[in-house]
Amino acid sequence: MSEARVRPERFEAFHDWIVSAVREFPGRYSGLVDHEVLLAPPDSLLYVSRWRSEEDLVGFAGEHWRDQPVVLSGEDEYLVAPLHVRHFAIASLSGR
């Protein structure tokens, strides 16, 4: 998951830009199981991706995937701060 803190006056433009940028990711990255963009106007947008394996994630994000977000060229003009990246593992709800 990466969180973008967006300039409020650029929020709609960034939303359109990021959706256009990631729309084709499933076809380009076979290990990408699912992804979505979550909006919290006026200044926060989350990109959440789910990967088949850690190896697939490394293929997309690189060796420093744990602490360095994937940054798309040109996105910094929309942001008030660098992207914040976090990673989660799925915990079963049906017991261990």
Side-chain angles (χ1 to χ4, degrees):
M1 174 201 93
S2 62
E3 181 176 11
R5 301 296 296 185
V6 184
R7 298 175 194 282
E9 70 276 7
R10 304 291 317 272
F11 187 81
E12 289 301 321
F14 183 68
H15 168 227
D16 294 343
W17 182 84
I18 200 70
V19 167
S20 177
V22 303
R23 181 176 284 127
E24 303 301 322
F25 277 12
R28 292 173 48 198
Y29 304 101
S30 63
L32 180 60
V33 174
D34 188 28
H35 68 156
E36 60 191 341
V37 173
L38 304 175
L39 307 174
D43 65 354
S44 184
L45 181 146
L46 298 179
Y47 175 69
V48 179
S49 59
R50 293 171 191 84
W51 295 87
R52 181 177 49 222
S53 68
E54 186 176 310
E55 181 178 280
D56 291 316
L57 176 56
V58 170
F60 167 71
E63 292 297 321
H64 300 286
W65 64 272
R66 291 183 195 276
D67 55 7
Q68 293 180 5
V70 173
V71 177
L72 304 176
S73 178
E75 75 182 23
D76 58 335
E77 72 182 69
Y78 297 97
L79 306 180
V80 297
L83 290 178
H84 178 73
V85 65
R86 294 188 63 194
H87 300 280
F88 300 87
I90 295 175
S92 173
L93 296 175
S94 61
R96 293 179 185 227

